[in-house]
């Protein structure tokens, strides 16, 4: 007996595999898995796979998993794909890693600074939008009067 992920129905061999699937998928930015964990296991990030498995198994449907029965950790035919293959497949799905408004703002700010740098503009100039995007520590910039005698 195994479990189906309560979010995406992916088959998992046991509760610990289900816990790993949910935690890794949430950590990779899949909002649906993260929201489910926050609702059903709010302390999920502090749990071991075994502890989290005990929690999530209570909320996941038990299923027959013949593909997992009697399979060793070798690479015999019919064995489900490995961890790396699963991560690669999940990273190709749509909806992965939706940006928060704050993260989108940070990326846009970085793009603007890059455009200015590539255009030869001074990154220290304020662009008038009220953001601190152009501000930097003067300690990081060479002084204009560095060549003047003291």
């Amino acid at each position: 007996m195994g479990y189906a992920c309560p979010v995406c129905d992916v088959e998992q061999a046991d509760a610990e595999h289900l816990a790993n699937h949910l935690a890794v998928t949430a950590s990779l930015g899949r909002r649906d898995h993260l929201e489910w964990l926050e609702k059903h296991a709010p302390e999920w990030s502090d749990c071991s796979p075994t502890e989290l498995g005990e929690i999530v198994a209570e909320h996941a449907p038990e299923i027959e998993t013949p593909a997992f029965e009697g399979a060793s950790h070798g690479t015999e035919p019919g064995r489900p794909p490995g961890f790396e293959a699963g991560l690669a497949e999940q990273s190709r799905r749509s909806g992965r890693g939706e940006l928060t408004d704050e993260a989108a703002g940070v990326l846009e700010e970085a793009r603007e600074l890059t455009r200015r740098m590539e255009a030869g503009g001074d990154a220290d100039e304020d662009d008038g939008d009220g953001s601190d995007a152009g501000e930097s520590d003067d300690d990081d910039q060479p002084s204009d009067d560095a060549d003047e005698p003291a």
Side-chain angles (χ1 to χ4, degrees):
M1 278 301 206
Y3 295 93
C5 173
V7 180
C8 67
D9 294 323
V10 167
E11 293 182 3
Q12 298 298 323
D14 55 37
E16 192 168 322
H17 282 88
L18 176 62
N20 286 332
H21 163 76
L22 285 162
V24 169
T25 305
S27 296
L28 289 174
R30 295 297 300 265
R31 184 168 289 169
D32 51 355
H33 285 69
L34 177 61
E35 289 171 354
W36 189 93
L37 279 171
E38 288 174 344
K39 179 179 179 183
H40 297 285
E43 305 295 323
W44 69 274
S45 62
D46 296 327
C47 294
S48 71
T50 302
E51 294 167 335
L52 184 57
E54 291 172 7
I55 296 167
V56 299
E58 295 175 18
H59 305 282
E62 272 192 85
I63 58 171
E64 293 289 331
T65 55
F68 297 109
E69 301 296 321
S72 69
H73 289 286
T75 56
E76 64 270 356
R79 177 168 164 71
F83 181 72
E84 291 83 5
L87 287 178
E89 196 274 322
Q90 288 178 18
S91 69
R92 291 187 293 269
R93 291 185 187 156
S94 63
R96 180 178 174 271
E98 290 109 11
L99 293 176
T100 64
D101 290 341
E102 181 180 3
V106 169
L107 284 175
E108 183 53 40
E109 184 177 320
R111 286 184 191 108
E112 178 59 29
L113 289 172
T114 301
R115 281 191 286 270
R116 284 193 220 163
M117 182 182 72
E118 289 173 348
D122 186 359
D124 287 337
E125 291 178 11
D126 186 8
D127 59 3
D129 67 356
S131 73
D132 59 356
E135 294 179 13
S136 67
D137 292 10
D138 288 337
D139 296 338
D140 295 339
Q141 302 295 323
S143 173
D144 290 336
D145 56 359
D147 296 330
E148 293 180 19

